[in-house]
Amino acid sequence: MGRRKRAPIAFYLCVLFLLSIHFVKIAGSSDLERDRIARLPGQPPVTFSQFSGYVTVNEKKGRALFYWLTEAVGNAAEKPLVLWLNGGPGCSSIAYGASEEIGPFRINRTGASLFVNKYSWNNEANLLFLESPAGVGFSYSNTNSDLKTSGDERTAVDALTFLVRWMQRFPQYKHRDFYIAGESYAGHYVPQLAKKILDYNKPLAKPFINLKGFLVGNAVTDNHYDGIGTVAYWWTHAMISDKTYKTILAQCNFTNTKNSDKCDDAVDYAMNHEFGDIDQYSIYTSTCGSAGGNATRRLRLRGTVIRRRSYGYDPCTESHAEKYYNRRDVQEAMHANASGSIRYKWTACSDVLIKNWGDSQFSMLPTYRELIGAGLRIWVFSGDTDSVVPVTATRFSLNHLKLVVKVRWYPWYAGREVGGWTEIYRGLTFATVRGAGHEVPLFQPRRALQLFKSFLAGSHLPKSRPHAH
């Protein structure tokens, strides 16, 4: 009996390759099902799928980022994916974006149950909320020093690593139309991540992450122009006196990262003696009645660290989130902190990260110019009752891009009311949202949803109110 012929090496390599694909698919499917949320405590019935869990972005340091995916209501497979990032730096996209702004649920005052947000952006897209960087919310690092050395560059690199690895776990989103959205200090995170994605895609025949564009609200953009525009807002909205306004302009050098003591004193005087007890993120709405137990955020006014209470239209909504996400049954349902790596209370913002933020890009305008040149759809919006990153700051900054106007300033409508005003430039659309504070979808959810729909469609905001039937 003759010896059997051996199959060629190429045959074995082909088999091994097919087996590897098979096992990767099995592993990916297993990870996906492991991350599926069956139901959150106190959650009303819904028709869409939810997933949450961790993606390791740096094995050596032990950095892992936490995400929450709420798929679209109806035809999820045909709708785009939108990544939402909150700012701070050091604040949670789950506390704010998911639970107060664009997510499908709101948290009741007791922190015991959830109710549906009928203006959720997951009516139009699949929403991916990311707690970034490590140290924010449920995201963590096993290297404690990481929390004191965070900055813009590492945040962007880790977010890109997260997306690549997350899409390997959720391959149905590879090559899907993808957008990034966010607010406040995400005015840094969003364009910086967009640039990283474009660089990552350059050598590829087909974009792995099919980035189409981004939108940012009340966005930190340029330290110099933001600073001048912020003080101008305070004065034009009667929050400060003529004398204080002139003193700040005379003593504060908005091009420096650190201001003089006289500048700091003038700003402190404005805040402590002239602002009064208002919500600086929404100057015409009520504050939370109790001063105790409210989380805080900080804003850097060109080197001056300003501590501010953070509220929402339900003025105490942030405290509801902290009640809910510190419940052990909620964490178990969301697959959060399963390994016990987080030994501290979940908070909406991380004081450690805010105090120790490292590199911060002085101006995002050069990055905007590059991204406009790449042909991305870029929208910048601004709630007009925010005094922290106000509409004047954004307009001062964007004006220095010197873009060509395509469609002149006009009022846009949401329903039968003016939703705000907009101007369309070659490469960028700017829109205000009337009566909205820093967290635009919290204060004006219907108007924010109309803005989001128009952005996704690549169409102009409505120029007239709908006709009555």
Side-chain angles (χ1 to χ4, degrees):
M1 185 173 172
R3 205 169 47 170
R4 285 185 299 179
K5 290 184 179 179
R6 294 181 61 185
I9 294 293
F11 171 80
Y12 290 111
L13 291 176
C14 182
V15 170
L16 287 171
F17 177 71
L18 291 172
L19 285 172
S20 69
I21 291 176
H22 176 70
F23 286 120
V24 165
K25 285 182 177 179
I26 291 174
S29 175
S30 174
D31 287 345
L32 188 150
E33 288 307 312
R34 180 194 63 197
D35 287 1
R36 183 181 293 276
I37 297 174
R39 185 172 182 147
L40 294 169
Q43 176 202 301
V46 295
T47 58
F48 56 86
S49 296
Q50 304 178 75
F51 302 85
S52 62
Y54 287 96
V55 172
T56 300
V57 295
N58 187 297
E59 288 80 4
K60 183 177 179 181
K61 298 282 188 176
R63 288 200 299 274
L65 301 185
F66 185 81
Y67 80 90
W68 181 11
L69 172 69
T70 60
E71 292 196 321
V73 178
N75 299 318
E78 299 173 12
K79 291 180 178 176
L81 175 67
V82 176
L83 173 71
W84 175 272
L85 299 169
N86 275 92
C91 293
S92 164
S93 299
I94 288 175
Y96 297 105
S99 302
E100 296 184 0
E101 300 183 73
I102 69 168
F105 305 119
R106 293 283 181 270
I107 303 170
N108 283 309
R109 294 183 176 221
T110 61
S113 60
L114 307 173
F115 61 96
V116 170
N117 169 24
K118 67 178 181 179
Y119 296 109
S120 174
W121 288 11
N122 85 324
N123 287 301
E124 305 297 324
N126 302 284
L127 301 181
L128 177 60
F129 299 96
L130 178 63
E131 297 204 291
S132 172
V136 173
F138 292 126
S139 295
Y140 66 88
S141 175
N142 292 329
T143 305
N144 290 335
S145 60
D146 276 352
L147 306 187
K148 296 183 179 181
T149 55
S150 286
D152 285 13
E153 176 62 19
R154 185 202 292 163
T155 299
V157 169
D158 281 359
L160 174 64
T161 303
F162 165 84
L163 281 174
V164 172
R165 294 181 177 182
W166 184 87
M167 286 186 179
Q168 289 168 345
R169 188 178 301 179
F170 289 80
Q172 65 269 36
Y173 287 104
K174 291 180 185 177
H175 317 301
R176 182 89 61 96
D177 284 1
F178 175 70
Y179 299 91
I180 317 173
E183 70 189 20
S184 194
Y185 199 79
H188 281 218
Y189 295 164
V190 171
Q192 287 166 346
L193 176 57
K195 185 179 183 307
K196 292 288 185 190
I197 290 171
L198 291 181
D199 291 343
Y200 178 84
N201 282 334
K202 276 179 184 175
L204 305 178
K206 183 178 182 181
F208 182 82
I209 304 171
N210 191 19
L211 179 64
K212 295 295 186 180
F214 65 84
L215 72 164
V216 287
N218 293 79
V220 177
T221 305
D222 179 280
N223 285 3
H224 178 70
Y225 302 122
D226 282 1
I228 296 171
T230 298
V231 178
Y233 187 92
W234 295 349
W235 182 65
T236 56
H237 287 72
M239 294 170 63
I240 60 174
S241 64
D242 293 356
K243 181 178 180 180
T244 297
Y245 177 59
K246 291 174 183 176
T247 301
I248 292 174
L249 290 183
Q251 299 297 334
C252 296
N253 184 341
F254 297 103
T255 60
N256 290 341
T257 55
K258 181 167 177 57
N259 279 309
S260 66
D261 290 341
K262 289 183 178 180
C263 170
D264 292 347
D265 290 344
V267 172
D268 287 343
Y269 185 84
M271 292 179 53
N272 296 322
H273 299 283
E274 295 185 342
F275 280 14
D277 187 13
I278 62 168
D279 179 353
Q280 294 162 37
Y281 290 88
S282 175
I283 65 174
Y284 300 126
T285 53
S286 301
T287 64
C288 190
S290 170
N294 289 310
T296 59
R297 290 186 236 176
R298 289 191 181 91
L299 170 77
R300 292 188 179 273
L301 178 62
R302 287 42 68 186
T304 302
V305 178
I306 300 174
R307 190 175 179 89
R308 295 182 170 138
R309 280 198 289 261
S310 169
Y311 306 120
Y313 188 64
D314 170 354
C316 303
T317 185
E318 184 178 309
S319 66
H320 310 337
E322 296 202 358
K323 288 176 188 174
Y324 189 73
Y325 293 115
N326 274 297
R327 289 172 49 178
R328 190 62 205 149
D329 59 340
V330 172
Q331 293 180 9
E332 287 174 355
M334 298 186 78
H335 324 114
N337 197 24
S339 64
S341 297
I342 304 172
R343 304 183 187 280
Y344 45 83
K345 180 183 176 183
W346 184 95
T347 58
C349 295
S350 166
D351 277 350
V352 175
L353 283 167
I354 293 170
K355 288 176 184 176
N356 296 283
W357 197 255
D359 63 293
S360 179
Q361 193 169 328
F362 184 89
S363 175
M364 297 306 304
L365 297 182
T367 305
Y368 270 92
R369 292 188 185 98
E370 184 175 346
L371 297 174
I372 289 169
L376 293 180
R377 181 183 307 159
I378 300 172
W379 281 35
V380 179
F381 62 95
S382 190
D384 61 13
T385 68
D386 173 27
S387 74
V388 176
V389 189
V391 61
T392 44
T394 301
R395 293 181 75 181
F396 278 25
S397 291
L398 294 182
N399 281 342
H400 287 82
L401 286 173
K402 302 187 185 305
L403 300 174
V404 175
V405 175
K406 289 176 62 180
V407 179
R408 288 183 59 182
W409 192 267
Y410 69 87
W412 63 272
Y413 287 80
R416 298 186 61 79
E417 294 188 348
V418 171
W421 290 265
T422 185
E423 189 156 72
I424 302 168
Y425 305 96
R426 186 176 297 163
L428 184 147
T429 293
F430 173 69
T432 74
V433 182
R434 187 167 70 94
H438 190 68
E439 298 172 67
V440 167
L442 170 63
F443 295 96
Q444 294 291 343
R446 181 177 183 176
R447 293 172 187 175
L449 182 58
Q450 177 61 66
L451 183 141
F452 182 60
K453 287 180 179 178
S454 297
F455 167 78
L456 287 181
S459 61
H460 295 176
L461 285 159
K463 291 186 178 182
S464 60
R465 60 173 64 91
H467 298 295
H469 296 289

